[in-house]
Amino acid sequence: MAWVVGAGLLLGLVMIAMGTAALRTDWIVPTARRHVTRPRLHGCGVLLMGATLAVQSLMYFGALPSPSPQARSAGGNALLLGGMLLLLVSQSLPRRRDSPAGARPDQG
C-alpha cells in the first residue's frame, strides 16, 4: 500500500511544479494548451490538486499530524473537487466584452 501512496506523493509534487510554472510563466502542458483559455486559473487548480495529494500522502506516512480519517477524507475530497472546478473554469471561454455604443463587431 505504501507504494500507491508514494506514487500519489510523486504525482502531487509533479502537479505542484506544473501549477507553479503555469502561474509564473503561463506555461501549460502541451496536451492541454489547446483547451486552456485562462492559464493562471489553470495553474491555481493544478497547484491546489497537487498540494492536496502531497499533504494527504505526507499524513499517511506520518510526516504531518493527521486528523481523523473522516476529516482527512472529506477535506481532501473537497480540495480536490475545488481544484477540478478551477480546471473546468479555466477551460471555459472568457466572457465577451461589451462593445462601445454604436460600434459594430465587424469594425475594428
Side-chain angles (χ1 to χ4, degrees):
M1 182 67 176
W3 68 272
V4 174
V5 179
L9 177 62
L10 181 64
L11 179 64
L13 293 175
V14 169
M15 288 177 78
I16 288 172
M18 289 188 331
T20 304
L23 282 175
R24 302 256 340 222
T25 64
D26 290 345
W27 180 82
I28 303 292
V29 179
T31 56
R33 280 187 196 144
R34 181 173 162 209
H35 305 288
V36 174
T37 58
R38 297 179 178 122
R40 304 252 172 171
L41 200 57
H42 181 82
C44 288
V46 172
L47 192 61
L48 181 63
M49 291 176 65
T52 303
L53 289 174
V55 167
Q56 283 185 339
S57 298
L58 290 174
M59 281 193 280
Y60 175 81
F61 288 127
L64 294 175
S66 179
S68 68
Q70 294 85 8
R72 186 173 65 204
S73 176
N77 288 338
L79 289 174
L80 284 174
L81 180 63
M84 297 269 301
L85 288 175
L86 285 174
L87 290 179
L88 179 72
V89 171
S90 75
Q91 294 181 8
S92 65
L93 294 175
R95 282 191 292 169
R96 293 183 182 172
R97 298 188 189 271
D98 293 332
S99 60
R104 294 190 327 197
D106 59 345
Q107 293 178 342

